Amino acid sequence: MFYGLLAQAVELGTEMRVDLKEVVISSDRETNDLRRLPTAISIITPRMLDQQQITSVVNLSAIVPNFFIPNYGSKFSTPVFVRGIGNRSGGQSVGLYVDNMPLLSNSVFNFDFLDVRQIEVLRGPQGTLYGRNAMSGVVNIRTHSPLDGNRDRLSLSLGNYGLFRANASVSRILIDERLGVSFSGYLDRNSGFFENQYDGRRADRLSSSGVRMRWDFQPSNRWNIQWITNFDHSSQGAFPYGVYENGNIALPNFDHRGEYIRTIFSSGVNVRYENNRIVFNSTTGFQDLGDNMNMDLDNTPLSLFTLNQRQNESNFTQEFTLRSRPNPKRNLQWIVGAFGFHRNLRTDVATTIGQDGIANILQYHLDTAMAGAPVSIVFTDNEIPIPGRFETPAFGGAFFGELTRNNLFFNGFSATIGARLDYERTRINYNTSMLANIDIFAPPHMGGNRSDVTGTRLIGENSMSFVEFLPRFALKYEFNGRHHVYFSVARGYKAGGHNIQMFADIVQEIVRQKRDTLPIPQESPDSIIPQIRFNPEHSWNFEIGARSEILRNRFFAEASIFYIDVQDVLITQFVRTGHGRMLRNAGRAESMGVELSLRAFLFEGLEISANYGFTRATFRDNKQVTINRDGTTDTIDFSGNFIPFAPRNTFSIAASYTRPVRNSRIIDRFNFHAQYNGAGRIYWTEANDVYQNFYGLLNLRAGVSRGIFSMNIWTRNTLNTRFTAFYFESMGQKLGQRGTPFQIGVDLAVRF
């Protein structure tokens, strides 16, 4: 009860002796208590959120062992890597839930936290209970219930780089303490960190805001109904990439401003019924996403290639679960459930070839290819658009269950067996084209001089269906009520699908290959579908772990060892022209490693924690065959190389000290927090020829409080460590994004 009681002591400004155990919310899905699960789990409490300045899921990177999120340059995609498994684009490999409602797209993963009560990070496949694309883990975010009591708060943050952030929350209990309502909102702005050398403006400024409403109604002791609605809007300068050379990244320098604007609306209803024997839950969720992305594809001051992409996505989910009510007198615990979802996603993409791109690339290659021919062709457009509309709806359903038998054979020994039968169907409807005006100069017998139009149109559809069986098995032995060891085996799965961001490359390649046919006919879907499809990714995860309360209420330790065998591992690659990227299956891979977490309360007011993760994630069979423009092929074997974007080490160590101040009329409490988070080595390419060595960031926070008021001064990246946050290669360029520099600011808060 440490965190909850300490928070009460802080608010009252009094000193009190407390039990140093945490208040942990029980899971609505698991057949075991969260602290006794036979899997690796990290639990983040509100106090930890404040101390470690965790305002979004991105800030969990490296704080949780073997959990890493590279900075992609915008909120468009939040690539999560857990134990070496993940992907920087496409569908997620980690399930993210907010108040039991799943988020089905990683385009909505990066949002600001409001009224968060607890975060759970479960590592390893969790498909049995959590389902779709929970291949490498699950992040559960739980918010405060208004029935917990009035929580009126107001906070303000100010800092360098134009930081301004305001948070407010209000909650009330109504109607005989059976109805509660809470409202919260935030406003977050900064002026950006990196200047675009082309126009002198900051390339990565940010403005975001959001509101959240939650109603909790408890008509009786057996029923609980929650209605939660959330709205979030963000507008940011995006993709502040610069030229990478010998580990140094130049400042951004491009003519077409990068921008990402996103609006999210979500709403959901949780209904819970329980009696002495069972607990029933129904969770209904709806989410709507609308966004607009602009990007300079060539990342230069030249007008070569630009991209505008808009997404409109709506998701509906429904889940029912029925489980046994936890009872220490009953050795059998079980849960069964059903899940269904439907997604509508329409993506409008417009890749534009600018004036410099036409002259320096299209016209140049055309002139080179037709050198010596009696006919010459000249492009006459100032720019050539490649528009496309893609509809990629999907739906699916699943039945799942899990059974745990406690005290099997002897006291303290338990076995868990679970399974999920999952079905998913995804479809693509595509309509894209490239049309260009040309002048043809030819002798009379070849038609003479004339104007014409060249190009192609691609129209078609395709569908894919997947049926998966995901089993899980675990053994656990618990002794003294303070220690347990476990072994688990689980099957992981990530759905297949279709690439849409490579169509501009396909269109240009068709036009290039068929330039002698004017006009170019519509291309058959048979030649397109094999290029855009990717198959599901599967894994088997083997894990041995232990969790121990070494000294009662003082010293806690967790450790795990894992091995993951991955089939058809999915990786992201940029297409040859650089006008998009694609997911592709890259053979087999394996990941193995260890994780260690320690937490100690050395004496009153002082807490120290450390988390370490080591991962060795490598390709076992990754041979790539490339077709050159002259028709020859090259084969590159990356087998044995490390998987890109998966750090070999993650490390975090933190110390917090809280001390009451007596006999003072100014302050009644002092607090100090220091934290060092690190990650590396991170390989950025499959060839492993570019990498970021291990680096660490020091964050500090110190403050005082008086009654309901508090003030904290903080720094992030205190030593101004320079590091590469993201790297990729496109159109023959090596590009990267610098890590966020030193920041300093102050937080002011009042709790009414």
Side-chain angles (χ1 to χ4, degrees), residues 2 47 554 602-607 656-660 672:
F2 177 75
R47 183 165 175 261
R554 290 291 179 185
L602 300 184
F603 54 83
E604 187 172 355
L606 179 62
E607 175 187 351
S656 299
Y657 180 63
T658 301
R659 180 182 178 87
F672 176 78

Side-chain angles (χ1 to χ4, degrees), residues 422-478:
D422 194 283
Y423 170 80
E424 181 168 335
R425 182 175 179 84
T426 181
R427 190 175 79 249
I428 182 173
N429 297 307
Y430 60 88
N431 185 336
T432 183
S433 62
M434 174 181 172
L435 299 175
N437 294 299
I438 57 174
D439 285 340
I440 303 173
F441 301 93
H445 69 278
M446 299 182 68
N449 299 338
R450 62 192 186 276
S451 297
D452 211 327
V453 177
T454 183
T456 189
R457 182 179 297 276
L458 308 180
I459 301 175
E461 64 177 29
N462 185 252
S463 62
M464 303 174 69
S465 297
F466 315 103
V467 178
E468 298 292 337
F469 178 70
L470 306 175
R472 178 173 181 257
F473 177 72
L475 298 173
K476 185 185 72 170
Y477 176 60
E478 184 172 346

Side-chain angles (χ1 to χ4, degrees), residues 141 154 210 254 272 298 352 356-357 378 398 455 462 559 563 680 748:
I141 300 172
L154 177 65
F254 43 77
R272 176 187 174 98
D298 55 88
T352 301
D356 293 324
V378 177
N462 185 252
Y563 174 81
L748 305 172

Side-chain angles (χ1 to χ4, degrees), residues 166-191:
N167 282 67
S169 62
V170 178
S171 64
R172 289 291 181 271
I173 298 178
L174 311 169
I175 310 179
D176 298 327
E177 298 188 349
R178 293 194 176 274
L179 177 65
V181 59
S182 63
F183 299 91
S184 55
Y186 81 95
L187 177 65
D188 189 6
R189 293 180 178 176
N190 68 65
S191 58

Side-chain angles (χ1 to χ4, degrees), residues 502-647:
M502 62 180 296
F503 269 88
D505 182 76
I506 294 175
V507 169
Q508 292 177 73
E509 187 65 17
I510 292 172
V511 173
R512 186 192 68 82
Q513 292 177 357
K514 299 186 177 182
R515 58 179 177 269
D516 297 329
T517 304
L518 299 174
I520 298 175
Q522 179 175 314
E523 187 72 8
S524 168
D526 294 339
S527 64
I528 304 300
I529 298 305
Q531 300 182 64
I532 65 173
R533 291 174 59 149
F534 57 90
N535 294 321
E537 180 179 8
H538 299 88
S539 70
W540 281 102
N541 184 93
F542 304 86
E543 181 177 328
I544 299 174
R547 190 173 293 115
S548 176
E549 185 180 359
I550 298 175
L551 295 177
R552 185 176 297 275
N553 296 338
R554 290 291 179 185
F555 187 24
F556 304 84
E558 301 176 21
S560 59
I561 303 173
F562 63 87
Y563 174 81
I564 307 173
D565 180 33
V566 187
Q567 301 86 41
D568 291 323
V569 60
L570 285 166
I571 62 172
T572 300
Q573 290 183 325
F574 279 83
V575 296
R576 181 168 52 190
T577 62
H579 308 155
R581 60 187 183 274
M582 59 179 289
L583 278 172
R584 78 169 188 89
N585 299 99
R588 297 190 68 183
E590 65 179 6
S591 179
M592 61 186 74
V594 297
E595 296 164 347
L596 178 65
S597 295
L598 303 172
R599 187 172 74 243
F601 302 95
L602 300 184
F603 54 83
E604 187 172 355
L606 179 62
E607 175 187 351
I608 294 179
S609 62
N611 296 281
Y612 173 71
F614 170 79
T615 298
R616 188 180 189 276
T618 58
F619 296 108
R620 294 180 61 182
D621 179 19
N622 182 9
K623 295 180 180 179
Q624 299 185 26
V625 179
T626 59
I627 302 176
N628 302 317
R629 291 189 181 276
D630 59 4
T632 61
T633 61
D634 293 323
T635 301
I636 304 175
D637 191 354
F638 291 130
S639 302
N641 286 10
F642 291 94
I643 295 176
F645 289 81

